[in-house]
């Protein structure tokens, strides 16, 4: 992770998981950092990891000066945490020194100073050219030397001297009654003070860390839980410092066809957080298993964190609805992490999930059920854990599905651990009793950024998986189970009747149309006949007219001829007649 | 180590001869500071008075031999280490308080 670094103050990364993030880079370089806390809170380990990681990751040799444990013990102790000090010592990357003074052997007379310690430290620092040094726990000197005035003055000189040498120092100190450290070391080491704490709540202990002061740098202010496991210390930021995870517009199927349709046919957003809540035995795990299966089918890795049922039981049970999870496990796509919540504290749970996610790098994570976590801690703590977990998963762009058991009788739209506001999509499963049977219902309470159905849907767990059935609404509300089936029959009958009626109507229409057509034809034929008749009469009369005309013309011509002849013979006669 | 094989042999030989304890003392200093000079002269005085002929002082300057600080777990300067006779005791400071030095060396003061 990249964090803005302040100019001026250089930092030395500790290599401790999470710590460098909350301090934006580590402890102040070339200065002294005080780590204080009660017995067994992890001071020595923190310091040791600082040295080992410095040597292995950052090429900065380091000196571990112990005032409490002899070198051999120390080497042995940290071997169990995976730190092979012996080989690092051989490579001249780490040097371990044990400084011890036995009060019973010592008599003090007159003035003295701690030049011996200075010379010793200088020698060991120079011998491996160390850049880092740990003094664990320098306060032990107070038990060996009774002249505390001298000791205090000398310690002040020591820290100044270390600063002058340019080595980054970590000084540990046991927690005092009223002060951070028994001898008030915080007065001398004032650049950076880190407080470690180991608290037991409800029989589960949780380690916490707080940065009390960090001169010249901003830092996370909260108490951060941390844990110690075989990889050393991991600090778990309560929440990522900014809400800045990238979001995806890609959608992933829910694995249930009907449910996809309720989400506009596409399913959840990739990288979103889905909560499936419901009463006992309503099918939460089945919804989860469908989702897991659909992921594995795409060849994406998936982790299944089961907090209630064993792996074999889940596999067997899901087989009954036609989901074969075993094959995906065999293919290495599905990884089960089965653990009882009571096995360890919440923080350890979170750490294991962190580890699992980092190792397997999945696309999807299922936790079934999160409500079980409340058995080991208060709802508040579980809420904080889930906040961190969701942040973490979102940052990794992992689609997460949590199931949540809601105790019978409690309101369905309220989760015990108030996780609802953290999730993006919330599907509520419920069963209702009527007519002597319980039927399963499903609805989407919310889904950020996805148009989703507002319907309450009945669903069945069939050997072929979850099936959403059609909605039947009567005057009394939603019909489910046998009532729905009865309604289905009634509707079928009604449908049949309607169909017959329709057929009849259709036939009638056809008949009338036929009549219409026939009548039109008949009329057409009649009129055509009349027209024909008329046309024939017209023709006849024309012919008659022509004949008359030609007859007339003929007679006229013959008359003309006659009159010409008359004129030739009579002459004046005809003229006289014409003039008449 | 400043403690040489030779001196140990000599010490044990001496012990047999005189049947008196030989005090093998080491004075750790860091450079010729006034304090270390004072410590040495104080020590010499005490030894001459109470352990005449019975002591052997080795002065170890840690500035020249820083490695040696580890062996005797030296933190304070000056430190006087009574190597022999056992038990090993350390006296830190400039040894200005004779009484305390004698207690530290486990010597009964001679009645003067």
């Amino acid at each position: 992770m990249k964090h803005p670094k302040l100019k001026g103050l250089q930092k030395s990364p500790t290599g401790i998981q999470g710590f460098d993030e909350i301090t934006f880079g580590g402890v102040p370089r070339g200065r002294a950092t005080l780590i204080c806390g009660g017995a067994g809170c992890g001071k020595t380990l923190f310091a040791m990891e600082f040295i080992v990681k410095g040597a292995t990751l950052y090429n900065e040799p380091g000196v571990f000066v112990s005032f409490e444990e002899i070198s051999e013990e120390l080497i042995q102790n940290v071997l169990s945490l995976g730190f092979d000090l012996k080989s690092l010592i051989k490579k001249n990357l780490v040097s371990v020194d044990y400084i011890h003074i036995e009060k019973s052997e010592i008599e003090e007379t007159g003035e003295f100073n701690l030049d011996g310690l200075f010379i010793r430290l200088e020698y060991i620092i120079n011998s491996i050219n160390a850049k880092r040094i740990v003094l664990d726990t320098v306060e032990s000197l107070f038990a060996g030397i009774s002249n505390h005035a001298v000791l205090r003055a000398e310690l002040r000189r020591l820290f100044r001297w270390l600063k002058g040498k340019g080595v980054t120092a970590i000084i540990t100190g046991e927690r005092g009654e009223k002060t951070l450290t028994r001898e008030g070391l915080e007065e001398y080491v004032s650049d950076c003070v880190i407080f470690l704490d180991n608290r037991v709540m409800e029989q589960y202990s949780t380690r916490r860390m707080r940065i009390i002061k960090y001169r010249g740098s901003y830092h996370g202010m909260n108490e951060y839980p941390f844990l110690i496991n075989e990889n050393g210390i991991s600090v778990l930021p309560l929440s990522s410092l900014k809400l800045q995870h990238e979001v995806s517009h890609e959608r992933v199927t829910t694995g249930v066809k009907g449910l996809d349709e309720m989400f506009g046919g596409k399913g959840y957003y990739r990288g979103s957080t889905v909560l499936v809540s419901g009463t006992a035995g309503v099918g939460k795990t089945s919804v989860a298993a469908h989702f897991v299966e659909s992921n594995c089918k795409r060849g994406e890795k998936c982790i299944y964190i089961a907090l209630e049922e064993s792996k074999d039981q889940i596999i067997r049970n899901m087989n009954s609805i036609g989901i074969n999870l075993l094959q995906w496990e065999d293919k290495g796509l599905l990884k089960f992490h089965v653990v009882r919540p009571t096995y360890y504290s919440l923080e350890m749970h979170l750490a294991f999930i962190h580890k699992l996610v980092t190792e397997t790098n999945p696309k999807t994570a299922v936790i079934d059920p999160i409500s079980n976590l409340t058995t080991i801690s208060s709802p508040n703590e579980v809420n904080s854990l889930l906040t961190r977990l969701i942040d973490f998963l979102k940052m990794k762009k992992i689609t997460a599905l949590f199931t949540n058991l809601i105790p019978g009788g409690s309101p369905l739209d309220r989760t015990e651990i108030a996780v609802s506001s953290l999730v993006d999509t919330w599907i509520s499963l419920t069963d209702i009793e009527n007519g002597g049977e319980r039927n399963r219902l499903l609805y989407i309470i919310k889904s950020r950024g996805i148009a989703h159905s507002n319907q309450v849907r009945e669903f069945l767990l069939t050997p072929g998986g979850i099936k959403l059935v059609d909605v039947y609404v009567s005057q009394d509300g939603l019909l489910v189970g046998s009532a729905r089936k009865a309604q289905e029959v009634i509707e079928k009958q009604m449908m049949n009747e309607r169909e017959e009626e329709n057929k009849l109507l259709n036939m009638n229409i056809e008949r009338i149309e036929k009549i219409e057509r026939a009548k039109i034809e008949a009329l057409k034929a009649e009129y055509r006949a009349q027209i024909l008749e008329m046309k024939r009469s017209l023709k006849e009369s024309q012919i008659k007219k022509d004949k008359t005309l030609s007859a007339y013309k003929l007679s006229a011509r013959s008359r003309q001829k006659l009159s010409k002849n008359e004129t030739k013979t009579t002459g004046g006669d005809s003229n006289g007649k014409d003039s008449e | 180590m400043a403690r040489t094989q030779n001196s140990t042999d000599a010490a044990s030989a001496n012990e047999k001869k005189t049947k008196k304890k030989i005090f093998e003392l080491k004075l750790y200093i860091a450079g010729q500071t006034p304090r270390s000079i004072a410590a040495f002269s104080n020590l010499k005085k005490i030894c001459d008075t109470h352990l005449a002929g019975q002591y052997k002082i080795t002065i170890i300057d840690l500035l020249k031999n820083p490695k040696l600080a580890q062996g005797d777990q030296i933190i304070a300067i000056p430190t006087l280490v009574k190597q022999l006779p056992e038990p090993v005791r350390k006296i830190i400071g400039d040894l200005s308080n004779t009484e305390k030095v004698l207690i530290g060396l486990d010597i009964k003061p001679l009645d003067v």
Side-chain angles (χ1 to χ4, degrees):
Chain A
M1 281 199 62
K2 277 179 190 167
H3 283 297
K5 269 186 191 171
L6 277 183
K7 271 187 182 173
L9 185 71
Q10 292 233 318
K11 294 187 182 179
S12 234
T14 58
I16 293 169
Q17 215 186 326
F19 180 81
D20 294 344
E21 284 167 32
I22 59 173
T23 52
F24 302 100
V27 294
R29 183 182 292 276
R31 301 192 186 188
T33 298
L34 175 68
I35 299 192
C36 49
C41 68
K43 302 184 291 290
T44 302
L45 182 66
F46 187 103
M48 183 53 89
E49 196 164 346
F50 169 71
I51 291 295
V52 170
K53 292 278 164 75
T56 54
L57 298 180
Y58 305 108
N59 201 23
E60 290 191 359
V63 175
F64 194 99
V65 181
S66 173
F67 292 84
E68 287 175 338
E69 290 174 288
I70 63 167
S71 308
E72 284 71 30
E73 268 174 16
L74 203 64
I75 290 168
Q76 216 165 33
N77 290 351
V78 299
L79 196 65
S80 62
L81 296 157
F83 301 151
D84 186 5
L85 273 187
K86 251 186 191 161
S87 76
L88 289 173
I89 291 169
K90 231 178 245 170
K91 288 179 199 156
N92 266 342
L93 285 169
V94 170
S95 186
V96 177
D97 196 10
Y98 170 59
I99 293 181
H100 176 71
I101 47 171
E102 185 62 53
K103 184 147 190 166
S104 62
E105 289 180 357
I106 288 176
E107 206 65 52
E108 288 169 42
T109 85
E111 287 174 37
F112 65 94
N113 63 17
L114 295 188
D115 270 347
L117 181 65
F118 283 71
I119 288 167
R120 224 169 132 173
L121 293 179
E122 177 151 41
Y123 173 72
I124 192 165
I125 287 170
N126 290 342
S127 69
I128 62 164
N129 200 11
K131 297 276 181 286
R132 300 179 174 206
I133 189 167
V134 166
L135 303 178
D136 176 51
T137 303
V138 81
E139 278 180 324
S140 302
L141 291 179
F142 284 89
I145 294 170
S146 45
N147 192 340
H148 287 187
V150 170
L151 195 52
R152 275 173 202 284
E154 286 295 281
L155 281 180
R156 191 171 287 136
R157 184 162 73 98
L158 173 71
F159 299 140
R160 247 198 339 265
W161 175 77
L162 283 175
K163 228 181 218 185
K165 291 225 62 140
V167 291
T168 311
I170 282 189
I171 286 123
T172 65
E174 194 91 356
R175 182 186 194 167
E177 266 174 46
K178 280 178 186 164
T179 49
L180 288 174
T181 56
R182 235 176 247 165
E183 305 297 339
L185 280 183
E186 61 271 24
E187 288 173 33
Y188 317 133
V189 189
S190 47
D191 290 313
C192 179
V193 178
I194 293 158
F195 183 71
L196 307 183
D197 187 21
N198 194 1
R199 234 178 287 161
V200 178
M201 276 175 77
E202 300 189 18
Q203 297 165 39
Y204 295 94
S205 87
T206 307
R207 296 171 193 276
R208 282 160 212 276
M209 169 186 296
R210 186 159 69 93
I211 298 158
I212 290 179
K213 139 181 193 182
Y214 199 141
R215 225 173 241 180
S217 166
Y218 50 83
H219 54 82
M221 292 296 294
N222 301 329
E223 263 195 331
Y224 299 98
F226 72 97
L227 41 96
I228 296 171
N229 58 17
E230 71 270 24
N231 298 323
I233 290 179
S234 335
V235 185
L236 311 157
L238 193 66
S239 52
S240 67
L241 296 145
K242 288 171 195 161
L243 279 171
Q244 57 177 10
H245 27 256
E246 282 175 49
V247 294
S248 170
H249 292 280
E250 195 191 336
R251 301 274 283 268
V252 286
T253 169
T254 63
V256 181
K257 198 172 158 265
L259 193 53
D260 275 350
E261 280 161 14
M262 291 178 76
F263 285 110
K266 287 184 196 156
Y268 317 123
Y269 274 124
R270 186 182 286 287
S272 68
T273 310
V274 181
L275 177 71
V276 178
S277 69
T279 46
V282 78
K284 299 182 292 296
T285 302
S286 306
V287 172
H290 267 290
F291 186 50
V292 167
E293 196 195 25
S294 72
N295 274 282
C296 292
K297 272 183 185 162
R298 279 199 304 273
E300 293 178 1
K301 276 190 190 167
C302 186
I303 54 171
Y304 196 110
I305 297 147
L307 299 174
E308 203 166 52
E309 292 178 274
S310 76
K311 184 182 87 183
D312 291 344
Q313 196 177 322
I314 292 172
I315 289 175
R316 183 199 66 194
N317 295 351
M318 290 307 111
N319 252 332
S320 73
I321 56 164
I323 298 173
N324 181 0
L325 293 177
L326 192 64
Q327 56 169 326
W328 306 118
E329 203 199 12
D330 290 344
K331 281 179 186 158
L333 288 170
L334 176 59
K335 195 167 168 82
F336 278 96
H337 173 67
V338 184
V339 65
R340 275 262 167 222
T342 45
Y343 194 59
Y344 30 61
S345 72
L346 272 186
E347 300 309 328
M348 281 301 266
H349 277 290
L350 186 59
F352 268 94
I353 295 170
H354 259 254
K355 208 177 126 203
L356 199 66
V357 166
T358 321
E359 278 171 8
T360 45
N361 206 10
K363 293 267 190 206
T364 305
V366 171
I367 301 180
D368 180 27
I370 51 167
S371 39
N372 240 16
L373 291 170
T374 48
T375 52
I376 54 164
S377 202
S378 65
N380 259 352
E381 301 256 317
V382 177
N383 187 282
S384 125
L385 169 119
L386 287 171
T387 310
R388 276 176 287 150
L389 183 62
I390 288 171
D391 268 338
F392 172 69
L393 293 175
K394 282 202 166 172
M395 246 153 56
K396 297 249 171 196
K397 290 182 199 157
I398 293 169
T399 318
L401 189 146
F402 303 147
T403 69
N404 184 35
L405 175 72
I406 291 177
S410 59
L412 291 171
D413 56 354
R414 193 177 306 153
T415 52
E416 207 176 332
I417 37 195
V419 74
S420 57
S421 66
L422 297 171
V423 301
D424 301 308
T425 299
W426 185 3
I427 299 169
S428 175
L429 307 182
T430 174
D431 54 357
I432 56 166
E433 190 185 342
N434 67 348
E437 56 187 28
R438 294 189 86 90
N439 293 294
R440 297 185 168 91
L441 298 178
L442 172 156
Y443 61 100
I444 301 165
I445 296 183
K446 75 162 182 186
S447 191
R448 289 178 180 150
I450 300 176
H452 55 274
S453 163
N454 61 352
Q455 281 181 333
V456 177
R457 297 290 296 269
E458 185 187 359
F459 69 97
L460 304 172
L461 293 179
T462 71
I466 293 178
K467 290 266 182 313
L468 268 71
V469 292
D470 292 334
V471 192
Y472 281 90
V473 186
S474 74
Q475 287 168 329
D476 307 325
L478 193 74
L479 291 179
V480 292
S482 356
R484 171 180 50 80
K485 276 189 184 138
Q487 182 71 20
E488 248 175 294
V489 171
I490 291 168
E491 287 203 0
K492 215 171 196 176
Q493 279 177 353
M494 273 165 61
M495 195 74 97
N496 284 346
E497 278 169 23
R498 233 172 259 148
E499 238 168 64
E500 266 169 36
E501 211 169 284
N502 282 356
K503 240 185 232 167
L504 238 129
L505 276 172
N506 274 335
M507 275 163 68
N508 259 341
I509 290 170
E510 220 172 292
R511 195 169 58 90
I512 290 168
E513 277 175 350
K514 270 183 185 163
I515 292 170
E516 184 200 24
R517 273 198 299 274
K519 277 191 171 168
I520 290 170
E521 284 306 310
L523 269 175
K524 269 186 185 169
E526 203 183 315
Y527 289 137
R528 203 165 295 140
Q530 282 180 11
I531 290 168
L532 273 176
E533 181 63 32
M534 281 174 192
K535 278 184 179 166
R536 210 185 54 210
S537 312
L538 194 68
K539 222 177 192 174
E540 267 174 20
S541 79
Q542 188 75 34
I543 292 169
K544 271 181 194 161
K545 188 184 155 196
D546 287 348
K547 267 185 186 165
T548 324
L549 198 66
S550 60
Y552 173 76
K553 273 182 186 167
L554 203 71
S555 66
R557 219 172 348 211
S558 60
R559 225 184 295 164
Q560 226 169 1
K561 236 178 228 172
L562 276 175
S563 67
K564 262 181 194 172
N565 289 342
E566 268 175 36
T567 332
K568 261 178 197 175
T569 51
T570 60
D573 220 26
S574 78
N575 283 338
K577 210 186 180 182
D578 278 348
S579 56
E580 262 180 300
Chain B
M1 283 279 161
R3 185 186 358 157
T4 55
Q5 196 61 37
N6 206 9
S7 71
T8 326
D9 285 349
S12 56
N14 261 352
E15 201 177 348
K16 273 175 199 166
K17 248 187 230 166
T18 59
K19 287 195 176 176
K20 267 187 173 178
K21 288 176 194 166
I22 289 288
F23 279 77
E24 204 176 312
L25 306 172
K26 284 193 274 185
L27 183 64
Y28 285 90
I29 55 166
Q32 298 283 330
T33 61
R35 195 178 284 154
S36 50
I37 292 166
F40 178 69
S41 73
N42 286 336
L43 177 64
K44 190 98 172 80
K45 218 188 287 167
I46 294 165
C47 288
D48 283 342
T49 318
H50 302 277
L51 296 168
Q54 243 185 294
Y55 68 91
K56 181 177 187 315
I57 300 173
T58 316
I59 292 176
I60 299 164
D61 189 346
L62 289 178
L63 286 186
K64 289 175 190 159
N65 252 327
K67 222 177 169 178
L68 299 181
Q70 201 175 1
D72 274 322
Q73 290 286 0
I74 302 304
I75 291 162
I77 291 293
T79 297
L80 175 68
V81 178
K82 179 191 74 154
Q83 202 75 34
L84 281 172
E86 291 196 331
V88 174
R89 294 298 299 269
K90 284 174 196 158
I91 303 164
I92 61 178
D94 59 9
L95 310 177
S96 52
N97 187 332
T98 309
E99 208 174 310
K100 276 199 168 174
V101 176
L102 291 179
I103 293 168
L105 293 176
D106 201 14
I107 303 169
K108 279 179 197 161
L110 294 173
D111 299 320
V112 186

